[in-house]
Amino acid sequence: MTSPSRITIIGAGFGALSCVREIRKRDSMAEITLIAPRAELHYLPGIIWIPSGLRTREQLIVPLGNFFRRMNVRHVAAEVTGLRDGGRVVTTSAGDFPNDGLVIASGGRFIKKLPGIEHAITPCEGIAAAEQIRDRLQALQDGTIAVGFAGNPNEPAAVRGGPMFEFLFGIDEQLRREGRRDKFELVFFNPSNEPGNRLGPKAVKHLLAEMKRRDIRTHLGHKMKGFEANRVQTEGGSFPADLILFMPGMTGNAWFDQTELQRSPGGLLQADAHCRVAGTEHVYVVGDSGSFPGPDWMPKQAHMADLQAAAAAENLVTGLRGGTPCKTFKIELICIIDAIDHGTLVFRTTRRQLILPPTRLFHWVKRLFESTYLKKYR
């Protein structure tokens, strides 16, 4: 009788937890170890509703103890520091952990090299950042609010711009509800003349039209230079801002530098179409940690991480059983751009693109999806 496979998963986000479920579907006996600092899922898509009060910290943090017990997973509360022996040993702040197979789903890291970037809030850094936006908005009596994002110059796909449109439109809607929109100027800035072009040409046209309709000024097509406490600086000039929200491009985790894993030009882990890290055996990557083959619009979003997790899990289990991993993942973008009480649906695949105008229905669909998704882990 062969011993159960020892599988280690790094991370506790969407991709990591999907891998747990998908592996357990395929191998009920595998010894699964998940390494992450906390046994919690932070539901980051919901942070767009924190500034308006639709969500609180408590509603967006899901303790994972019950889920780990149901899935028979050992959680190790630690920070990963590197790998040894071709990925067969994970080194951490709590010691070394050997494995037969490894899935890296530890997310990405924002590139924070621009001068003065400490003056900007990066929303997707977590719940605390969204709470800071909420508190700053409440304290402001008037002024200019600047919202923007940029990419990784070495890897254009390593960007997460969608949430910034939601913060932009959500703040606009919130200020209108509070009866003080006329006291603020909103400015959207981006190095591209076509912000959000990964959503598709139709979406870009819609987004820019929506900004014009909402009287949101744009500052587009100029490379970022940096920030001051009350100013955004670009090569096309600077402008004052009392509150700056900025999402930089993404790169790989710092601990990747302590491994021999192959990297993409932008610093992510180079993966093949099966989610396997290039040049390795039984080492897979899903979500924001990886650079995958596909169209340049392939999104960095939770839905994509879930699709990659299913492929990685099947390929890992197949490989550990002596088979040939051959599962690929579907590439599609599904996004509801929410503005507190209504949302716009954007859908894109390799064959088609669809954008549906804003309605209250899509806002409630987004909230229903959140509730349904989190039930898996409660």
Side-chain angles (χ1 to χ4, degrees):
M1 183 177 178
T2 58
S3 300
S5 298
R6 299 170 302 170
I7 296 174
T8 295
I9 298 171
I10 300 174
F14 297 104
L17 299 182
S18 288
C19 270
V20 169
R21 291 188 297 107
E22 296 291 345
I23 288 170
R24 193 52 85 207
K25 285 179 188 176
R26 294 161 174 81
D27 189 340
S28 61
M29 301 301 295
E31 296 177 358
I32 301 177
T33 298
L34 185 142
I35 303 173
R38 296 172 300 275
E40 296 174 345
L41 170 63
H42 289 212
Y43 189 78
L44 294 185
I47 65 173
I48 59 168
W49 293 321
I50 284 181
S52 65
L54 276 181
R55 287 291 179 274
T56 63
R57 166 182 292 268
E58 292 73 23
Q59 290 172 301
L60 299 178
I61 296 179
V62 179
L64 294 172
N66 289 336
F67 173 72
F68 288 156
R69 282 189 288 273
R70 291 199 308 271
M71 293 288 116
N72 191 20
V73 170
R74 176 177 66 149
H75 170 241
V76 174
E79 299 276 356
V80 174
T81 56
L83 302 176
R84 291 203 321 269
D85 302 338
R88 293 288 71 83
V89 177
V90 180
T91 62
T92 80
S93 56
D96 296 350
F97 296 87
N99 67 79
D100 300 311
L102 175 65
V103 179
I104 300 169
S106 49
R109 175 168 53 110
F110 293 108
I111 303 171
K112 308 200 81 171
K113 293 183 178 180
L114 281 173
I117 197 167
E118 68 273 11
H119 298 302
I121 301 174
T122 300
C124 281
E125 282 191 321
I127 293 172
E131 291 174 331
Q132 189 180 359
I133 296 169
R134 177 197 63 198
D135 297 343
R136 290 280 300 276
L137 276 174
Q138 288 176 354
L140 279 176
Q141 300 301 311
D142 54 31
T144 300
I145 301 170
V147 180
F149 66 89
N152 181 330
N154 297 315
E155 191 154 348
V159 61
R160 186 183 287 157
M164 300 310 287
F165 295 117
E166 297 187 287
F167 276 103
L168 178 69
F169 297 140
I171 289 172
D172 173 83
E173 187 68 28
Q174 178 181 341
L175 293 173
R176 292 179 190 277
R177 287 184 170 195
E178 295 169 353
R180 56 195 191 113
R181 176 64 175 89
D182 59 330
K183 298 179 181 179
F184 290 88
E185 179 175 35
L186 266 61
V187 182
F188 177 78
F189 62 98
N190 192 273
S192 171
N193 282 309
E194 297 182 325
N197 58 358
R198 293 169 67 228
L199 297 171
K202 294 179 182 177
V204 172
K205 185 177 179 180
H206 166 79
L207 291 168
L208 293 177
E210 186 70 2
M211 290 180 205
K212 185 175 181 179
R213 186 183 74 81
R214 291 173 175 266
D215 196 25
I216 297 171
R217 185 160 66 88
T218 58
H219 186 86
L220 306 176
H222 304 293
K223 187 177 178 181
M224 297 298 305
K225 288 179 65 177
F227 304 94
E228 296 177 7
N230 299 102
R231 185 164 289 272
V232 176
Q233 300 171 321
T234 78
E235 291 185 351
S238 67
F239 59 90
D242 301 283
L243 174 61
I244 304 169
L245 279 56
F246 177 67
M247 193 90 78
M250 301 175 71
T251 187
N253 300 157
W255 67 265
F256 292 175
D257 295 339
Q258 308 307 315
T259 75
E260 297 179 351
L261 299 178
Q262 189 169 321
R263 309 285 283 278
S264 70
L268 303 174
L269 299 181
Q270 189 63 61
D272 62 18
H274 305 119
C275 299
R276 182 171 46 208
V277 178
T280 67
E281 186 177 25
H282 307 319
V283 178
Y284 289 82
V285 60
V286 303
D288 291 348
S289 297
S291 177
F292 303 87
D296 58 5
W297 55 262
M298 187 161 63
K300 292 287 186 189
Q301 61 174 190
H303 176 61
M304 200 68 242
D306 286 342
L307 295 173
Q308 291 161 350
E314 181 162 329
N315 289 328
L316 177 56
V317 171
T318 297
L320 290 174
R321 290 172 173 168
T324 301
C326 60
K327 178 72 173 178
T328 58
F329 55 88
K330 183 167 61 171
I331 298 171
E332 65 181 16
L333 183 156
I334 302 177
C335 175
I336 293 177
I337 303 172
D338 189 84
I340 295 186
D341 64 353
H342 59 276
T344 302
L345 176 68
V346 180
F347 176 75
R348 189 175 188 181
T349 68
T350 53
R351 294 184 177 181
R352 62 185 299 212
Q353 180 198 342
L354 176 69
I355 178 167
L356 297 179
T359 69
R360 291 182 180 273
L361 172 64
F362 292 136
H363 167 77
W364 287 102
V365 167
K366 193 175 182 97
R367 292 177 68 160
L368 178 62
F369 176 82
E370 174 191 89
S371 174
T372 304
Y373 192 92
L374 294 182
K375 279 181 180 178
K376 303 172 188 175
Y377 303 113
R378 293 196 187 280

